[in-house]
Amino acid sequence: MGHGKWTPELEIGIPFVDADHKVLVGLLDQTETCIEQNEETGLLGSVLSALAEYVSYHFAREEKLFEGCGYAAADFHIKIHRDLETEVLDLCRRFKDDPQSVEADEVRDFLHDWLVEHIVGHDFAFRSACIGNEEAIAVAAAMPFFSGGGDKAGTTPKWGSLRVLVVDDNPNMLNIIKTILTIGGIGNIELTESAAEGLALLARRPADVVLCDWVMDDMNGAEFARHATEMETGAKVVLLSGHSIDVVRQRSAGAGIAGYLEKPITATGLLEMIAGLLPPDRS
Ligand SMILES: [Fe+2]
Ligand SMILES: [Fe+2]
């Protein structure tokens, strides 16, 4: 099997389950692309982390559904979930310890097992027990990937109108950030590979948050932030870097940076950073 692509025979017929499976297939595809293109570890590590985080979230949603439907084979299915979860976490851990130890073939095999054996083999088994139980489906579907935390835990932040601009000269990094923002419930996203184009976009349409790479071809992140601050659009600029945050912080002092994230990033870490920058009524 080549890159993971969604096919109609993977469709279970329960919308949130199918939506989750599409996200997972997309993340596995991004993982494989990054490995094949020999991407920097900060990027591949970010994709693997988002994959592991989404796997856990998806399993929790399916298990919530089993509970609501009184699915008889739940224990057996949950055991398989724990095994797959362990496999993903092990992949992430090995990558963190030694990036060279994670190979494209292994990810491709995992992808195949995931798609064919789990979705088609096991997930289809709960279909008849759960389909039509709208109440149980609604409860599981309402579980957010990211909640604002604290007293807002369990609810998706009100991010409907939030605009996020992402500036990064690596299209694979743009891709994973877009995936993370989307699963976090942010729909208003603009992406650009060019810092100059990013400033032009900002001048045309203000953004609430700008996520900007530190090292780019046409200008570095500090320069970008300086220009963005001068434009007085009110956008909060967050710098993402594979370098140590202390070094980047020193080198970008006075540029008006609202936050720093070191790659590899985690999906929840990025969403938490955004939530923390917004006024209370927006997060
Ligand atoms: Fe599933
Ligand atoms: Fe499952």
Side-chain angles (χ1 to χ4, degrees):
M1 181 180 279
H3 278 210
K5 290 281 177 275
W6 182 258
T7 59
E9 57 267 26
L10 297 175
E11 197 121 345
I12 303 263
I14 300 173
F16 86 83
V17 177
D18 289 325
D20 278 0
H21 289 162
K22 279 181 193 164
V23 171
L24 290 167
V25 170
L27 283 165
L28 286 162
D29 188 33
Q30 289 185 51
T31 306
E32 202 177 340
T33 300
C34 288
I35 292 175
E36 281 173 359
Q37 294 179 7
N38 221 353
E39 278 290 6
E40 59 188 26
T41 55
L43 171 49
L44 182 52
S46 303
V47 177
L48 285 173
S49 175
L51 175 65
E53 290 168 90
Y54 207 84
V55 162
S56 294
Y57 165 66
H58 168 62
F59 288 168
R61 284 226 280 192
E62 268 187 9
E63 289 162 24
K64 190 70 158 175
L65 179 64
F66 301 163
E67 200 185 300
C69 297
Y71 179 42
D75 288 350
F76 172 69
H77 198 123
I78 290 168
K79 164 85 175 70
I80 299 167
H81 280 176
R82 293 295 83 78
D83 290 347
L84 281 168
E85 215 165 30
T86 304
E87 209 177 329
V88 181
L89 289 172
D90 178 57
L91 193 73
C92 291
R93 207 170 300 121
R94 274 195 296 120
F95 178 78
K96 211 172 158 196
D97 293 345
D98 176 16
Q100 301 307 319
S101 69
V102 176
E103 289 178 7
D105 284 358
E106 187 186 355
V107 177
R108 204 174 290 122
D109 289 348
F110 177 71
L111 176 91
H112 186 267
D113 288 352
W114 172 269
L115 290 176
V116 181
E117 288 176 29
H118 193 69
I119 299 180
V120 178
H122 298 112
D123 283 353
F124 268 86
F126 70 69
R127 186 182 188 277
S128 56
C130 300
I131 212 157
N133 191 333
E134 299 307 334
E135 203 185 319
I137 292 172
V139 169
M143 283 171 67
F145 172 77
F146 173 75
S147 61
D151 56 355
K152 298 191 196 81
T155 55
T156 305
K158 292 181 188 65
W159 281 350
S161 62
L162 182 75
R163 281 186 86 83
V164 179
L165 170 67
V166 190
V167 187
D168 196 307
D169 56 2
N170 186 326
N172 291 327
M173 193 66 199
L174 288 179
N175 218 359
I176 186 57
I177 293 178
K178 185 183 180 199
T179 301
I180 294 170
L181 297 177
T182 304
I183 62 183
I186 298 169
N188 208 336
I189 307 162
E190 257 180 317
L191 310 171
T192 177
E193 289 177 36
S194 145
E197 167 75 6
L199 290 171
L201 285 170
L202 207 51
R204 234 177 291 148
R205 280 184 297 273
D208 298 291
V209 175
V210 183
L211 303 174
C212 182
D213 189 20
W214 168 243
V215 181
M216 293 180 288
D217 282 346
D218 54 345
M219 117 185 29
N220 77 27
E223 242 178 289
F224 176 91
R226 253 175 228 116
H227 287 301
T229 305
E230 278 164 20
M231 287 160 68
E232 295 183 345
T233 65
K236 311 268 189 199
V237 180
V238 176
L239 276 187
L240 277 72
S241 171
H243 298 278
S244 136
I245 290 304
D246 288 344
V247 174
V248 175
R249 201 188 292 274
Q250 264 174 19
R251 291 176 56 192
S252 61
I257 312 288
Y260 296 88
L261 279 173
E262 191 170 327
K263 297 184 220 171
I265 59 166
T266 64
T268 41
L270 176 61
L271 295 168
E272 256 161 31
M273 166 69 76
I274 293 173
L277 294 174
L278 301 172
D281 60 323
R282 296 292 299 279
S283 62

